[in-house]
Amino acid sequence: MQGLEVRGLRKSFGGLTVAQEIDFDLPPGARKALIGPNGAGKTTFANLVTGKLKPSGGSIRFDGSDIGSLGESERVKRGIAKTFQITTLFRTMTVRENIRLPILERQGRGGRMFGGAAADRATEAEIDALLDQFALLPLADKPIHLLAYGQQRLVELALTLALRPRVLILDEPAAGVPSSESHLILQAIERLPAELAVLIIEHDMDLVFRIARSIVVLVNGRILTEGTPDEISRDPMVRQLYLGEAHV
Amino acid sequence: MSVQEIPLTTIRTRIRGVPLMPEAVMLALAVIAYFLFPYDLALLTRIMVMMLFVLSLDLVLGYAGIATLGHAALYGTGAYAAGLFAVHVSADPVTGLVVGAAAGAALALVSGLLLMRAHGLTLLMLSIAVTLICQEIANKARDLTGGADGLRGIRMEPVLGLFKFDFVGRTGFWYALAVLCVCYAVLKVVTLSPIGLSVRGIKDSAARMVAIGSPVYRRLVTIYTIGGAVAGVAGALAAQVTQLVSLEVYAFNLSAEALIMLILGGAGRLHGAIIGTLIFMVVHHIAASVDPFNWLFIIGALVLGIVFFVPAGMLGIPAALRNLTGRNGDARP
Amino acid sequence: MNNLVRAALAAAMATLCAGACWADTIKVGVIAEFSGPFAIYGKQYKEAIETYVAQHGSQSGGHDIEFIYKDVGGANPDLAKTLAQELLIRDRVNYLAGLTFTPNALALAPLIEQSETPTVIFNAATSAINKQSPYFLRTSYTLWQVSTPLADWAYDQGIHTVVTAVSDYGPGIDAENAFKAAFEKKGGKVIDTIRMPLATTDFTPFIQRVRSQAPNGVFAFLPGGPPTFGFTKSYNENGLAKEGIRFLGTAETEESNLQALGDAAIGLTTAFHYSEAHDSDVNAAFTKKLGELSAGAVANWASVGAYDGTHLIYKMVEAAGADGPKAIEAVKSLKWESPRGPVEMDPKTRTLIQNVYIRDVERDKDSGRLVNREKGVIATVGDLGWTD
Amino acid sequence: MSLILNIAVDGIAYGMILFMISIGLSVTMGLMRVINLAHGAFALLGGAAAHALIARAGLSFMAAALLAIMATMAIAFLLERLVYRRIYGLGELQQVLATIGITFIFIALVNRLLGSSLLAIPLPDFLQQSVDLGFRVLPAHRLAVILAGAVVIAGLYLTIERSRFGTRLRAAVDNRSIASALGINIDAVFAATFCLGAGLAALGGILGAELLPIDAYYPLRYMVLFLIVVSVGGMGSITGSFMAALALGILETASRYLIPDFGTIVFFAAVMAVLAIRPRGLLGKA
């Protein structure tokens, strides 16, 4: 099967179980959201998928082959990419350099010791195109730390897309972004390539309901239910457990 | 993208995009210094050897963010390798440098496999431990290294068979300057290359580098090995110029002073390493001649001064001044 | 470009020669430690030189003599060589002096060979240094020079079994070899040779090992300062003296750190060439003047090495001015009365032939200070470690 | 058998001395998260002051030690106000540099005032005796150090782990803004902790002087030793430092008894092995 396929995934730290028997699919083109109360294990799940954490049991398959034993960077090479909950960029570099790095890695040139990093014309053109897509081109040669936070989130998104991933995990993409800038994030996500499989972990329900075509509810490391936004918003259990809590 | 296109654009970018101005100025100053201070060629040569050493630390620490207090291990191993090579195999200086580079790189590779897994205090301690072990091995292998008496009997042949090492140190000066320029050029290429960008990325955020699929550990080992080669060349150069290698090539002080020089100039930029070394060595030299008993006061004050007033090093002074006068172009509106 | 270089060189060489040929001030470059862990040595040298100058004036043979001090900070041959080049080329010194550590001295050999500069070593005690250049003269001692007589003397005193405990580095191993060779030649038995890492701070394990073998004596060699302090403390605390294991040492009870050892040092036996308490007029005059010039100054091997070295330089200047080879020739068999006793330069090894005294540490009744009380001369020897 | 006993006795005694001389560092560096290479400088200050008070002013050991520790704490207090509080927020390397600079200045100062020879701190008579353990003798001084070490670790445990002060300190280190919002006077907590660390450094310098004698160069000579104890023990852990000191003391003593020729290499190889396996030290917090 194409895309991501998780079966019976388990993870425990000592006696504490943070993920149990999770079955989860993310086919190409999917727009799924993962929601749940704090401490439900959403970030843990994302880390299990990206390889930052090793699962205690279960399988993770991608395009039919088992990736459960691969390291984090190998999974990125296969096409699984993730944005961070807290903006994590190369702060001493310019916007352009931030985008150049993932492209070099994708091309397998990241370890070359000669030939300028900025020497390849096609790469530079690709950077320009990508920045243009996020309306970041005028800021290309600014150091990251001079950008507004919302713009930094966009750079993070552009940086991740530069990897040309096939699965994209967005960990609270709007976290910390002032409401005046959050529409930028929303627009950017809406414009993601159609064939890309997207998993969004988010607290902002407006964002979730506008983007996701399917929502998975995680509680205490276990999938409570899965359904369309409509189904989820009507589900009494979810209302009580999650939405209720969120709206108190 | 055609294959032939790369070198062409490389050259074009290099000329257009990279300011070679600081380099040209520094080289000119070196040549001027030769004529201005004909009696101090030995000191100038020693300064250049230190510059080479600090440059290598800049690559490792300034660019890649590998906090080490054991850089002397690489320098010392290069020095002993070149010294032993000169005594037992061949007295040709250039081959000796290659041997020093290989030895420095080999130690960096082997120790790097362990060191590059560590961070912070642990990394500092591991790097110190490696240096101390090297020193003890050199001390124990007295038959080979001369132990505490030093490795003697190094007699160098003329450089390239043409230039004999002379009493005043003219050959030493030009030889060291040439080696410094070559290594600087190599480091310049490396720092501008993808791996250079890559290790800067690791310094900024290792987590992000992993998340874009970069083999962080391997990159660090690679860059540490390159740094080891350059440090090895610096050690080899010192051994050839002094014609003696002592256990003090592994001294903790050497690593610590190199660190001070680097931060003084401004880490993460190659000419920062050059400027920092120059200022430190000159201040040290003058302070030690004026008052050989109390110059440590001055060095101590200098170090504190850098940390508190110019944390970005001497290269940060222009920006600091701009800040003062309120004309900082970088400031956020 | 090439012409420019040549012109500059010619100018440099001209001034260089002019300096050497016309000087009526003879300059002496002193390369020593004025900072770092061994700063005490530089201080001792400087005080002794100033004492000599105060006693004998700043002139010799009609030449003014000027001393230039350079800090080398410890064993650092790179810096030592740079400083020597600076002294020779820019300051145009005619003599070099100082040199505490062997590598520093060795690094100068090719230089002084070329510039024909007499170089007086105040300390560096490895025999082989003087072989590297005929311009080296040494006013200190070598490890063989004091260790061998000590071994002979110990055997004659009825000490027939010894454990040697030395710091594990060049000089320590030299001392061990010297002592062992002489002691076994006499018929004594070295039952154990212990080499202690330089970084040792707690010597108890080694002292216990000595103790468990119950020898008649323990021969020790450690670098001055903290290691000696730690070793003698441990020797005392663990009651080795009470069990009849005699301490046999050389420089361990030297005067600059002797008071710091405290009562633990009383009764330690050493064989050495100089004691501050040496009973002679020359020494009395020396220590008196030294005390006058610098309050609280003590005289030790470093002081006497520098004092005699200065004497040697004065004699060379008197005989030959700035002519290096002639200067060496003039003093290579020189005899004089030093604060340490009568001494004589050995023309072959260019190291002093001098008395080796056996001394015990005692508390001086008058001053209340610890002193090395000389009990007798056990040998009058040159460098016994010299091999042709 | 007697060999094992010897190793145990000497190793523990030595380990306690290591603990005493590095505990101050464990407080400033481990608890306050400052890479404080100037730790030895405070030990030097304490030791040099004690030396001056005993040898030059004729005070008794106890009085001199007490005064010296108080003087060191006073200087530390001033230094904390003027210099250290600017260091807390700096990066690792800047901290390394700043504290090396402070160390240089203290070395130069002591060298200027007291010279560079050993500065002995004569022990009172009752500490100079030897105590017979049956199978061998042990210097009374070492028993005193063991006792002092036990008192210090008990005191620190109560202060750091059990008292309100300890809670505040840990809160202040973990999150300054929250701690400050909770009404904790962060400046005061840091100043007090720093003075405590400096006082312990001085105490360690004085008590450890029988093995690590005081001279102007002391801070640099033994810097690596202090750092090793703290890094092997684990940042932020008093108990870790204690265990590390004992383990390193026993390890070093054993290597001195059994394989003296390779003692140094074995020692550092063991340190590397521990740090390679447990990068945060024996009891370091993740």
Side-chain angles (χ1 to χ4, degrees):
Chain A
M1 130 162 203
Q2 290 285 297
L4 197 63
E5 191 183 5
V6 174
R7 288 294 173 269
L9 194 65
R10 275 182 290 118
K11 176 70 187 175
S12 43
F13 296 106
L16 185 71
T17 305
V18 288
Q20 36 190 328
E21 303 303 327
I22 297 181
D23 293 337
F24 183 89
D25 288 320
L26 197 67
R31 293 288 183 277
K32 254 190 200 186
L34 186 63
I35 64 171
N38 273 329
K42 301 187 296 286
T43 300
T44 302
F45 175 72
N47 286 339
L48 286 167
V49 172
T50 59
K52 188 167 183 174
L53 291 175
K54 294 265 167 272
S56 311
S59 73
I60 305 173
R61 302 175 77 81
F62 185 55
D63 287 356
S65 62
D66 189 358
I67 58 166
S69 59
L70 295 182
E72 230 178 325
S73 54
E74 279 105 345
R75 292 190 203 187
V76 176
K77 294 254 188 295
R78 297 280 180 102
I80 301 175
K82 171 177 178 288
T83 62
F84 287 71
Q85 192 173 338
I86 298 162
T87 308
T88 309
L89 293 167
F90 305 114
R91 300 194 61 80
T92 65
M93 299 184 190
T94 62
V95 174
R96 181 181 293 280
E97 285 171 322
N98 267 273
I99 309 299
R100 189 179 293 139
L101 263 171
I103 298 182
L104 289 171
E105 290 297 344
R106 189 193 76 214
Q107 295 167 338
R109 301 197 297 138
R112 289 214 192 158
M113 293 174 217
F114 32 81
D120 181 50
R121 219 184 285 165
T123 305
E124 298 309 298
E126 185 185 338
I127 297 172
D128 286 347
L130 203 53
L131 288 178
D132 198 27
Q133 184 188 333
F134 289 91
L136 288 168
L137 200 49
L139 303 171
D141 294 310
K142 288 242 182 236
I144 282 295
H145 61 93
L146 296 181
L147 267 58
Y149 194 73
Q151 289 169 329
Q152 293 191 16
R153 289 308 268 179
L154 289 182
V155 175
E156 174 140 6
L157 204 53
L159 181 155
T160 313
L161 282 182
L163 293 167
R164 295 198 181 149
R166 295 178 43 234
V167 169
L168 177 61
I169 302 172
L170 302 170
D171 195 353
E172 302 198 17
V177 178
S179 50
S180 60
E181 296 174 28
S182 64
H183 67 281
L184 291 172
I185 310 288
L186 185 67
Q187 282 169 8
I189 295 173
E190 280 172 340
R191 280 192 222 136
L192 288 174
E195 71 284 0
L196 182 64
V198 177
L199 171 65
I200 177 166
I201 301 170
E202 186 54 79
H203 276 300
D204 182 343
M205 284 304 128
D206 291 344
L207 196 69
V208 167
F209 283 106
R210 286 183 62 174
I211 295 165
R213 293 197 284 270
S214 160
I215 295 176
V216 176
V217 184
L218 200 66
V219 176
N220 292 331
R222 197 187 282 278
I223 291 181
L224 184 72
T225 180
E226 181 173 353
T228 63
D230 265 6
E231 290 164 4
I232 293 299
S233 60
R234 284 197 305 265
D235 189 316
M237 255 196 319
V238 176
R239 291 189 73 91
Q240 188 191 342
L241 264 168
Y242 184 73
L243 300 178
E245 182 186 285
H247 287 291
V248 165
Chain B
M1 184 186 84
S2 75
V3 182
Q4 289 92 337
E5 212 175 50
I6 298 168
L8 267 177
T9 42
T10 309
I11 294 162
R12 219 172 292 145
T13 324
R14 186 91 14 106
I15 294 168
R16 241 190 306 150
V18 180
L20 281 173
M21 206 49 207
E23 284 78 8
V25 171
M26 287 187 299
L27 186 60
L29 285 177
V31 174
I32 292 170
Y34 176 84
F35 294 106
L36 224 52
F37 306 104
Y39 303 148
D40 293 294
L41 297 182
L43 175 67
L44 293 174
T45 306
R46 235 173 69 79
I47 292 178
M48 288 192 287
V49 171
M50 272 317 283
M51 282 174 175
L52 197 51
F53 182 55
V54 177
L55 275 176
S56 120
L57 184 65
D58 197 11
L59 179 72
V60 165
L61 191 145
Y63 282 86
I66 303 166
T68 163
L69 273 175
H71 216 52
L74 311 171
Y75 174 89
T77 303
Y80 270 112
L84 289 169
F85 181 78
V87 172
H88 298 293
V89 187
S90 152
D92 179 60
V94 178
T95 330
L97 290 183
V98 174
V99 170
L107 179 67
L109 176 61
V110 173
S111 62
L113 291 175
L114 173 66
L115 295 183
M116 295 309 114
R117 295 197 182 280
H119 311 276
L121 177 66
T122 307
L123 176 55
L124 290 179
M125 294 319 297
L126 285 174
S127 62
I128 293 173
V130 168
T131 319
L132 290 172
I133 288 176
C134 287
Q135 187 172 38
E136 183 63 10
I137 290 172
N139 181 38
K140 299 294 283 186
R142 199 179 170 219
D143 293 338
L144 196 63
T145 63
D149 287 348
L151 173 65
R152 62 170 184 265
I154 303 174
R155 294 283 179 271
M156 298 317 296
E157 278 170 11
V159 179
L160 304 173
L162 295 173
F163 308 100
K164 279 179 75 167
F165 283 96
D166 58 310
F167 179 75
V168 185
R170 285 178 290 261
T171 305
F173 177 90
W174 292 115
Y175 177 51
L177 183 59
V179 174
L180 180 61
C181 288
V182 169
C183 289
Y184 189 101
V186 168
L187 288 175
K188 190 91 194 170
V189 169
V190 169
T191 51
L192 287 173
S193 75
I195 198 169
L197 189 64
S198 194
V199 292
R200 279 175 58 206
I202 295 171
K203 185 189 176 194
D204 274 7
S205 168
R208 170 52 79 188
M209 282 307 280
V210 171
I212 61 169
S214 174
V216 167
Y217 171 67
R218 213 166 64 209
R219 293 279 154 76
L220 288 177
V221 172
T222 309
I223 217 77
Y224 193 60
T225 306
I226 298 172
V230 177
V233 171
L237 196 56
Q240 295 179 348
V241 171
T242 306
Q243 301 184 355
L244 193 94
V245 185
S246 78
L247 292 176
E248 272 61 31
V249 291
Y250 289 121
F252 174 77
N253 278 12
L254 186 63
S255 304
E257 282 185 0
L259 180 65
I260 294 172
M261 294 182 214
L262 179 60
I263 309 284
L264 171 61
R269 274 166 294 188
L270 292 180
H271 49 295
I274 301 283
I275 293 171
T277 310
L278 183 68
I279 293 176
F280 183 91
M281 295 283 286
V282 169
V283 169
H284 186 312
H285 184 76
I286 294 172
S289 331
V290 172
D291 186 354
F293 297 91
N294 295 308
W295 61 266
L296 208 54
F297 271 119
I298 298 170
I299 298 294
L302 176 70
V303 169
L304 280 179
I306 308 165
V307 174
F308 289 125
F309 302 115
V310 274
M314 290 297 165
L315 291 182
I317 287 181
L321 287 179
R322 269 202 306 279
N323 261 336
L324 275 180
T325 53
R327 284 192 290 112
N328 189 350
D330 286 347
R332 263 174 87 174
Chain C
M1 184 67 170
N2 213 0
N3 282 335
L4 252 177
V5 175
R6 236 172 258 155
L9 287 188
M13 292 318 287
T15 30
L16 204 114
C17 179
C21 308
W22 295 99
D24 55 353
T25 297
I26 301 277
K27 291 184 185 173
V28 182
V30 182
I31 299 175
E33 293 69 27
F34 297 104
S35 67
F38 309 104
I40 182 83
Y41 300 147
K43 180 169 168 278
Q44 300 282 77
Y45 295 156
K46 188 161 184 272
E47 288 170 354
I49 291 170
E50 284 166 356
T51 304
Y52 190 92
V53 172
Q55 287 177 329
H56 299 88
S58 59
Q59 278 200 338
S60 180
H63 303 276
D64 282 326
I65 299 184
E66 183 194 341
F67 291 88
I68 302 174
Y69 298 92
K70 293 285 177 192
D71 177 26
V72 70
N76 187 344
D78 295 342
L79 181 56
K81 189 172 181 183
T82 307
L83 292 174
Q85 275 170 295
E86 187 186 324
L87 285 164
L88 289 168
I89 296 166
R90 198 180 55 192
D91 298 320
R92 284 173 257 138
V93 301
N94 312 95
Y95 294 86
L96 287 172
L99 303 172
T100 310
F101 294 98
T102 299
N104 293 356
L106 287 173
L108 303 197
L111 278 183
I112 60 168
E113 183 94 46
Q114 281 186 56
S115 63
E116 303 186 335
T117 308
T119 300
V120 183
I121 299 172
F122 291 170
N123 178 52
T126 304
S127 285
I129 300 170
N130 284 12
K131 264 187 265 180
Q132 308 299 313
S133 164
Y135 291 92
F136 277 129
L137 299 158
R138 175 159 42 201
T139 54
S140 56
Y141 67 108
T142 69
L143 294 166
W144 291 78
Q145 197 171 15
V146 290
S147 303
T148 305
L150 177 61
D152 293 345
W153 176 85
Y155 187 83
D156 293 339
Q157 296 296 306
I159 297 170
H160 291 173
T161 53
V162 160
V163 170
T164 62
V166 301
S167 281
D168 193 0
Y169 76 132
I173 294 163
D174 282 346
E176 176 195 296
N177 290 336
F179 185 89
K180 195 169 181 228
F183 196 63
E184 288 181 342
K185 197 169 156 210
K186 268 288 212 184
K189 198 157 178 256
V190 173
I191 47 182
D192 193 8
T193 55
I194 305 175
R195 293 180 181 179
M196 307 174 287
L198 271 177
T200 304
T201 44
D202 182 9
F203 289 91
T204 315
F206 301 118
I207 293 290
Q208 289 295 334
R209 182 162 148 196
V210 172
R211 194 170 184 241
S212 67
Q213 305 186 68
N216 301 143
V218 53
F219 171 76
F221 181 91
L222 300 108
T228 296
F229 179 88
F231 188 86
T232 50
K233 284 267 173 187
S234 282
Y235 169 84
N236 205 46
E237 282 172 344
N238 289 282
L240 264 64
K242 270 181 236 145
E243 299 194 4
I245 303 171
R246 185 122 182 214
F247 179 92
L248 303 168
T250 53
E252 282 69 27
T253 61
E254 60 89 20
E255 283 78 2
S256 72
N257 286 319
L258 183 57
Q259 305 311 322
L261 297 183
D263 287 341
I266 291 176
L268 299 182
T269 305
T270 51
F272 210 47
H273 61 286
Y274 179 68
S275 161
E276 188 178 25
H278 177 71
D279 188 12
S280 79
D281 293 344
V282 175
N283 190 43
F286 166 56
T287 50
K288 182 161 171 281
K289 195 75 186 171
L290 180 70
E292 280 171 25
L293 288 178
S294 347
V298 290
N300 68 351
W301 55 265
S303 323
V304 82
Y307 186 83
D308 286 335
T310 311
H311 177 73
L312 211 53
I313 290 167
Y314 269 57
K315 288 293 165 198
M316 285 193 278
V317 172
E318 189 183 314
D323 184 339
K326 199 172 147 203
I328 295 277
E329 202 56 40
V331 296
K332 73 180 193 187
S333 301
L334 192 71
K335 286 186 192 182
W336 73 97
E337 174 74 19
S338 148
R340 64 184 99 176
V343 295
E344 178 183 351
M345 196 42 89
D346 176 1
K348 190 167 82 177
T349 64
R350 280 162 280 114
T351 298
L352 291 177
I353 298 170
Q354 57 191 331
N355 289 338
V356 177
Y357 305 89
I358 196 82
R359 315 99 51 90
D360 285 337
V361 176
E362 291 175 359
R363 198 168 276 288
D364 189 72
K365 285 201 185 66
D366 300 332
S367 64
R369 290 164 60 83
L370 295 169
V371 296
N372 286 299
R373 187 73 72 207
E374 290 171 356
K375 301 294 177 185
V377 176
I378 53 172
T380 302
V381 286
D383 177 11
L384 300 171
W386 187 269
T387 47
D388 286 305
Chain D
M1 187 58 205
S2 84
L3 181 68
I4 296 174
L5 268 176
N6 273 332
I7 291 176
V9 170
D10 291 330
I12 291 171
Y14 181 51
M16 274 307 212
I17 288 180
L18 286 181
F19 174 68
M20 283 308 296
I21 58 163
S22 55
I23 181 62
L25 183 62
S26 192
V27 169
T28 50
M29 193 153 108
L31 294 176
M32 299 172 70
R33 307 287 157 109
V34 192
I35 301 215
N36 182 19
L37 300 190
H39 167 72
F42 292 104
L44 167 66
L45 276 183
H51 163 82
L53 290 169
I54 296 174
R56 311 208 174 173
L59 263 65
S60 76
F61 178 81
M62 287 298 179
L66 212 62
L67 268 177
I69 292 170
M70 279 159 53
T72 307
M73 288 174 79
I75 293 171
F77 179 74
L78 279 177
L79 210 61
E80 205 271 344
R81 291 269 133 175
L82 297 173
V83 184
Y84 267 84
R85 62 183 34 199
R86 301 170 179 217
I87 293 179
Y88 299 143
L90 298 178
E92 232 167 61
L93 284 176
Q94 307 285 342
Q95 292 184 346
V96 165
L97 272 187
T99 52
I100 281 188
I102 292 170
T103 308
F104 282 175
I105 290 177
F106 276 118
I107 291 176
L109 196 70
V110 172
N111 186 35
R112 175 116 196 107
L113 296 177
L114 297 172
S116 58
S117 57
L118 291 181
L119 305 172
I121 304 173
L123 293 173
D125 287 341
F126 72 93
L127 285 181
Q128 286 195 16
Q129 290 154 3
S130 293
V131 179
D132 199 341
L133 296 180
F135 66 101
R136 56 168 289 186
V137 293
L138 194 69
H141 158 258
R142 299 218 173 177
L143 287 178
V145 172
I146 294 177
L147 202 68
V151 170
V152 166
I153 192 165
L156 278 178
Y157 178 77
L158 291 177
T159 321
I160 309 291
E161 308 284 337
R162 285 295 153 94
S163 76
R164 264 165 60 102
F165 175 76
T167 320
R168 286 163 177 231
L169 170 63
R170 276 176 286 137
V173 170
D174 285 345
N175 195 324
R176 299 196 112 201
S177 51
I178 291 182
S180 153
L182 289 174
I184 296 174
N185 183 344
I186 296 198
D187 283 358
V189 169
F190 269 61
T193 313
F194 189 78
C195 289
L196 174 68
L200 287 170
L203 176 65
I206 295 168
L207 283 181
E210 288 291 288
L211 257 61
L212 313 175
I214 301 287
D215 69 347
Y217 204 66
Y218 181 97
L220 288 180
R221 179 176 292 127
Y222 299 117
M223 185 162 84
V224 173
L225 193 60
F226 308 143
L227 287 171
I228 284 177
V229 175
V230 176
S231 61
V232 168
M235 291 266 271
S237 170
I238 301 289
T239 329
S241 287
F242 179 70
M243 285 172 54
L246 282 190
L248 291 169
I250 292 171
L251 171 75
E252 185 161 349
T253 303
S255 76
R256 301 273 189 259
Y257 270 109
L258 303 171
I259 35 162
D261 279 10
F262 296 95
T264 304
I265 295 175
V266 168
F267 181 76
F268 285 110
V271 168
M272 286 183 73
V274 171
L275 291 178
I277 296 164
R278 295 195 62 98
R280 294 183 189 281
L282 293 174
L283 289 185
K285 289 164 191 161

